[in-house]
Every structure is written in structure tokens, then in C-alpha cells.
Amino acid sequence: MGKNKNKKNKSSNAVVTHSQSISYSGPLPTPVHLAQYEEILPGAAERILKMAEDQSSHRRSLESKVISSGVADSRKGLWFGFLIGLSGFAVVGYCAYLGFQILAGIIAALDLGSLVGVFVYGSRQRKIERVEKEKAV
């Protein structure tokens, strides 16, 4: 008698998956996708383009307001600095007139020192910001 071996038939079931990823950046989809939107919903491409144009216009408007506001703030700062400096020197003159020369000298040094310090600090900060912006680009 022959031996009857149980042969197990090993079969593997493999599952194959395929995935595809498409990405783009920017306010507009690719032309292929834009055409697909238009095919699904007539007029969609025009609406998408209009939306991108409106967003771009809005962003430019905000940037313009921020720049104008920054310029106005800078001007105010300069005027206030000028008035504070002028007031300080008026106090210095008055103290010197009354005979308090040492006090007048101390106030003058503080007044000039603080004004120069503010301008130097502001210049350094602007330089640092410019360098950081250049690095970011």
C-alpha cells in the first residue's frame, strides 16, 4: 500500500493596491481639473477664476492698508520723538537759565542719549527684519 500524503496546497492571496496622489499649490486647480469642474458644473471654471481674482485683489488691498498704516505710524513716531526732544531741550534751557547747569547737562545727556538710542535700535531692527525676509525668500 502506498502512503497517501496530505498535500496542502498553499496558495497566497495577494492584494495589490494602487494609489495615486496629485497635488498642486496656488489658488487655481490644474487646467485638467478646471476642465473637469467645468464639465461637471457648467460655469464652475469661471467662478473659480473669479474667486482667485477676488482673493488676489483683496490680498493686495490689505497689503496696501498695512503699508499705509506703517508709514503713518512711522510719521507719528517721528513727530512724537521730535516733540519729546524739543520739550527736553526746553527744560534744559530753563534749568540752565535758573542756574542749574549740572541738572541741565544731565537732562540734555539723557534726552539726546534716549533719542539716539531709539533711532539706532530702530535701524538695527529694520536691518534684522530685512535680512530675515531675504533669507525667507
Side-chain angles (χ1 to χ4, degrees):
M1 276 189 165
K3 292 183 179 178
N4 195 358
K5 288 186 178 177
N6 285 337
K7 290 185 178 178
K8 290 186 179 176
N9 206 0
K10 291 184 179 178
S11 66
S12 83
N13 292 332
V15 176
V16 177
T17 59
H18 175 79
S19 67
Q20 181 178 4
S21 174
I22 298 172
S23 66
Y24 55 89
S25 65
L28 295 174
T30 63
V32 171
H33 289 123
L34 196 60
Q36 290 172 347
Y37 280 118
E38 185 65 29
E39 186 177 309
I40 293 169
L41 180 65
E46 180 64 32
R47 289 170 50 193
I48 291 170
L49 290 173
K50 176 81 169 114
M51 180 181 63
E53 290 169 350
D54 290 347
Q55 177 62 30
S56 178
S57 175
H58 176 68
R59 185 181 31 73
R60 285 192 303 270
S61 171
L62 287 177
E63 288 172 354
S64 176
K65 288 178 183 177
V66 167
I67 290 169
S68 296
S69 174
V71 169
D73 288 347
S74 292
R75 284 189 180 141
K76 280 186 223 172
L78 288 172
W79 278 109
F80 282 124
F82 175 73
L83 291 175
I84 290 170
L86 199 58
S87 299
F89 286 121
V91 170
V92 166
Y94 186 67
C95 286
Y97 174 74
L98 294 177
F100 300 108
Q101 285 81 15
I102 294 174
L103 180 61
I106 292 171
I107 293 173
L110 290 173
D111 194 33
L112 270 176
S114 62
L115 287 175
V116 169
V118 166
F119 281 107
V120 168
Y121 178 76
S123 296
R124 283 186 185 158
Q125 287 301 108
R126 284 189 297 276
K127 183 178 180 180
I128 290 169
E129 289 174 5
R130 280 193 302 267
V131 168
E132 288 175 358
K133 284 180 183 179
E134 288 174 3
K135 286 180 183 178
V137 176

